[in-house]
Structure formats: structure tokens, C-alpha cells
Amino acid sequence: MNYALCTMNYTLMTTPILFNLNDSELEQFVAGFGQPRFRAKQIREWLDRGAPDFASMKNLPETLRRDLDATAQTLPVRIVQKLESSDGATTKFLLELAGGEQIETVLMRTTYGNSVCVSSQAGCAMGCKFCASTLLGLKRNLTANEMYAQVLTAKWELQSSDVTHIVVMGTGEPLMNTDALIEFIERAHADLNIGMRRITVSTCGIVPGIEKLTEWGKPVNLAISLHAPTDELRSVLMPINNKYKIAEVLDAAFRNADKNNRQLMIEYILLESEERRAQSLDINSDKLKDNKETSNSELPTSTLCALRSYNSSVEHAEQLSELLRGKNVMVNLIPWNAVAEREFSAPSGNAVHRFQDVLIKNGIHTRIRRERGTDIGSACGQLRLNSKNQKQ
Ligand code: SAH
């Protein structure tokens, strides 16, 4: 690429993203500013550390930093908002991608290390009934670079310590974007030295995607978002179950975990549902119903509201135990993070422990996932949804 072509590129791409250029493209880019090749190397080092802006690149001349700032972007994700939980353990980023779509990334500082929750798609097509990420549908798949840049953003935030774990549990269904996912994981492993066994991919149960991971053969952890113990219930809660039934999903998942000698993780959100029933107020309403001239919507009604265990009763726990008995599995019981648009609620602590006790009695490893960052809207997709709602 010569200088003229480079200038043309500026007009074609609104903002060139330097992280997406290869080494020779980056050299040609800095040559466009009359800069020597070693500047490209310096910039690459900053990009690989996750520098969110050019002002941070302290060894570049100030004029170059300003020129770059006016014409280019460092990473393929741009921080729109950054929120810290009150205990300082969780940082949540709202990030913007090229084209304007937004995603969320969460950095969790834990006793075992620093874990990053990565989004794999902008939005989601899966339509799970309890989830905020899917409310606006799928916008697009993320590239491997966009996933990797989320980890770099967290790495920059940590400064002196490293990202040690990755969980692909942010917005989107990673196994609807499996090629980019694998490219991202290979790179995070090679360049950031994150062990495959410290990376977890969570899926709602895309069987061909699970099989692709098994063929790929790297020992990443697999998590299945199960959330219901019967096909009947799961198909209502998670439409993907109409395509891939529980038995088929668990078969594929255990084949993967067994081949990689890993423990399969099952995610299970405990839910109660509000049952709303219209109830007639007027003792004469039966007569009114018989009156052909009166439509039903005109009848005086009140709403009866009752809570019922949706997937969280002792019977559900027994059914779940039947599915998992004797397997190398860990069941993560997840307190539901309330999503205003969804008509569920989380069961009481007692109900959660009652459910867990049944699993324990049946010899199944289980733990209750600690809620993190609820004060900063850490439920999947909430921050992005709020931001979208404000824009509209
Ligand atoms: N699509 C993938 C990964 C993204 S969702 C999957 O289904 O696994 C990551 C996890 O968060 C899933 O287990 C999902 O069911 C759960 N989740 C979604 N919305 C939630 C909410 N409001 N509260 C708690 N967990 C939620």
C-alpha cells in the first residue's frame, strides 16, 4: 500500500481500526504520517496490551498521537461506559463495535484469578424467555478480533495483573458463531497464555456446535444452559429445545466432556413465575357474558396474581437428578437477575436450598453461583438494553 492508497482508505473507512491491520499494513499506515517503521512496532505493543486510546501510547511523539487520534481507533471495541461494583470486584464495560452495535463485557476479580465474561454476538436470536440479551433479536456475529479485544480491554483495566480465565457467557450464542469463537480461543491461548482448561464456553445447546468443539479437541470447559428438566418445560422456556432435545444435547455434551476429560457444567436458573388470571368482579358477569351485545373486554375484571415454582420445585430437582445421576457434572444454580421486561421472579433462599438439597441427596455436585455486580446491572444484556432504550 502506498501513501495515495492509504489516503483513499481513510475516506473509504470512516475510522481505521489499527488492531485489525497486519504488521505490514500498520507500517504503511504510519508511513502515511511520514513516520519510520519502528513506530508501527511501538503501536503494536500498545495495542497488544489493550490501549484504549492513543494518548496512552507514551513513547510516541505527541503530534503523532494527536494525528492518530483524529484519524484512527486503537481496538475494534470502544468503551462507551464503565461501571464498578461497590465491592470493587466487578467491572462492567459497555462497548461499541464498528457499525455502532453495543455489547457487554464483565471483568470479575475472584480469589482464583481474574475472569472475563466475553460476548460472542451483538444481540441474540435464541429467544430464551428469561433473558434480556435476546429481547432486541440478533444484530450480528462478532469477529474473533472483537472477542479478543474484549479480553484486552479487561487486561488494560487490570494493568499489573493478568487475565487468567475466560468465560464465553456474555451476550449471544457462541456456538452460532463457532469458527470465530475457535479462532478467538486459539489466539487467547497462544498470545495471552490462558490455559484451555481455564476457558469455558456456555451454550443453550446447539448440538452441531458442540460436536464441532469435540472435533476441534481442545480441553476447554463446556457449560450447558439447561434451566429445565423436561422437554415440555424447556421448549417453552428456551425455543431452541424444539430443535435439539435435552437427551440429544446432554449426549453431545457428555461426549465432549468425557473426551476432554473435563467435568461438564450445567447451568440452571431457578425461577418462579407470576400467574396472572383475569377474574370477574361482578357477580352478574355470567349474565353479562351471555349477553351477545357485550364483548368480553368490556367485562369488569381484576387481576389475580400468584407465584408458582416454574422450574424450581422439589419435583423438578428430582427430575434433574434423574438426568444427571452418576455423571461427572457440576450443577451451577443461578439466582435469576431480574429483567423488567420478563414476568419471572427469583425464588426465596429457602427454596433454592431445598432444590440444592435434593441434588446433593442424589449425589450430584452442585453450587449456588454467587451474584456479582447486581448493583451495576450485571444480568446479561441489561446495560446494553438500558442504553438502547435511552437512545430510542
Ligand atoms: N447463549 C449462551 C451464553 C450466553 S448466556 C448460553 O445460553 O449459555 C450465559 C448464561 O446466563 C446462560 O446460562 C443464560 O441462561 C444465563 N442468563 C441469561 N439471562 C439471565 C438472567 N437474567 N439471570 C441469570 N442468568 C441469566
Side-chain angles (χ1 to χ4, degrees), residues 130-131 169-170 172-174 202-204 225 227 267 269 334-337 339 380:
F130 45 80
C131 179
M169 289 191 185
E173 171 46 53
S202 177
T203 177
C204 62
S225 297
H227 307 323
E267 288 162 279
I269 303 177
I334 308 172
W336 184 60
N337 278 315
V339 176
C380 320

Side-chain angles (χ1 to χ4, degrees), residues 96-108:
E96 189 171 276
L97 310 172
E101 288 304 331
Q102 294 184 341
I103 54 160
E104 297 178 6
T105 302
V106 187
L107 164 63
M108 293 161 285

Side-chain angles (χ1 to χ4, degrees), residues 113-128:
N114 297 311
S115 183
V116 185
C117 178
V118 170
S119 291
S120 55
Q121 297 181 311
C124 184
M126 296 296 106
C128 299

Side-chain angles (χ1 to χ4, degrees), residues 110-157:
T110 71
T111 45
Y112 57 83
N114 297 311
S115 183
V116 185
C117 178
V118 170
S119 291
S120 55
Q121 297 181 311
C124 184
M126 296 296 106
C128 299
K129 294 290 186 287
F130 45 80
C131 179
S133 301
T134 196
L135 282 168
L136 302 170
L138 174 68
K139 301 303 173 187
R140 70 169 173 86
N141 275 340
L142 265 58
T143 64
N145 272 5
E146 286 168 334
M147 288 186 246
Y148 188 81
Q150 294 174 58
V151 182
L152 287 184
T153 300
K155 183 177 154 70
W156 182 264
E157 181 70 19

Side-chain angles (χ1 to χ4, degrees), residues 56-353:
S56 315
M57 302 185 177
K58 298 290 183 213
N59 54 358
L60 300 185
E62 209 185 317
T63 48
L64 177 60
R65 276 188 259 160
R66 255 189 273 124
D67 285 347
L68 290 173
D69 203 38
T71 47
Q73 190 177 320
T74 58
L75 301 179
V77 296
R78 195 178 63 79
I79 301 173
V80 177
Q81 216 182 335
K82 191 172 92 176
L83 298 175
E84 284 299 333
S85 65
S86 49
D87 63 2
T90 306
T91 310
K92 184 159 187 171
F93 301 91
L94 180 67
L95 302 174
E96 189 171 276
L97 310 172
E101 288 304 331
Q102 294 184 341
I103 54 160
E104 297 178 6
T105 302
V106 187
L107 164 63
M108 293 161 285
R109 300 165 186 86
T110 71
T111 45
Y112 57 83
N114 297 311
S115 183
V116 185
C117 178
V118 170
S119 291
S120 55
Q121 297 181 311
C124 184
M126 296 296 106
C128 299
K129 294 290 186 287
F130 45 80
C131 179
S133 301
T134 196
L135 282 168
L136 302 170
L138 174 68
K139 301 303 173 187
R140 70 169 173 86
N141 275 340
L142 265 58
T143 64
N145 272 5
E146 286 168 334
M147 288 186 246
Y148 188 81
Q150 294 174 58
V151 182
L152 287 184
T153 300
K155 183 177 154 70
W156 182 264
E157 181 70 19
L158 287 167
Q159 292 289 337
S160 53
S161 57
D162 287 326
V163 172
T164 56
H165 293 71
I166 293 173
V167 291
V168 189
M169 289 191 185
T171 304
E173 171 46 53
L175 298 187
M176 294 301 278
N177 188 16
T178 315
D179 290 341
L181 173 80
I182 288 177
E183 190 186 335
F184 153 63
I185 293 176
E186 298 263 16
R187 181 152 181 209
H189 175 63
D191 294 357
L192 298 174
N193 201 22
I194 300 173
M196 290 288 178
R197 290 176 178 78
R198 294 183 164 193
I199 298 175
T200 301
V201 174
S202 177
T203 177
C204 62
I206 309 291
V207 171
I210 297 172
E211 283 166 350
K212 203 164 186 176
L213 286 186
T214 310
E215 265 166 47
W216 174 52
K218 300 289 161 55
V220 294
N221 303 295
L222 185 63
I224 301 292
S225 297
L226 197 62
H227 307 323
T230 63
D231 282 322
E232 196 190 358
L233 187 59
R234 194 170 190 264
S235 296
V236 177
L237 200 57
M238 303 174 70
I240 192 65
N241 199 71
N242 290 304
K243 193 156 185 193
Y244 305 113
K245 297 277 182 275
I246 292 177
E248 203 187 340
V249 172
L250 288 181
D251 256 18
F254 280 119
R255 266 200 308 278
N256 175 285
D258 290 347
K259 183 177 170 203
N260 294 333
N261 206 14
R262 310 298 299 149
Q263 185 177 52
L264 183 68
M265 197 188 286
I266 298 289
E267 288 162 279
Y268 199 100
I269 303 177
L270 293 167
L271 298 165
E272 282 187 347
S273 66
E274 286 177 16
E275 244 182 24
R276 287 174 199 278
R277 265 174 301 167
Q279 188 192 38
S280 170
L281 277 181
D282 192 323
I283 48 162
N284 293 320
S285 60
D286 283 348
K287 282 184 198 152
L288 283 170
K289 272 185 216 159
D290 292 338
N291 182 346
K292 297 273 184 308
E293 280 162 36
T294 310
S295 78
N296 273 347
S297 60
E298 284 169 315
L299 291 173
T301 58
S302 73
T303 305
L304 197 70
C305 214
L307 279 181
R308 79 182 163 91
S309 151
Y310 190 86
N311 66 349
S312 50
S313 69
V314 165
E315 194 193 347
H316 292 125
E318 291 289 0
Q319 288 168 330
L320 182 61
S321 304
E322 279 313 301
L323 290 176
L324 304 176
R325 205 187 294 275
K327 306 278 195 185
N328 184 14
V329 74
M330 168 62 76
V331 178
N332 267 321
L333 298 175
I334 308 172
W336 184 60
N337 278 315
V339 176
E341 290 80 356
R342 303 300 205 185
E343 286 193 354
F344 287 112
S345 55
S348 69
N350 279 349
V352 173
H353 286 290

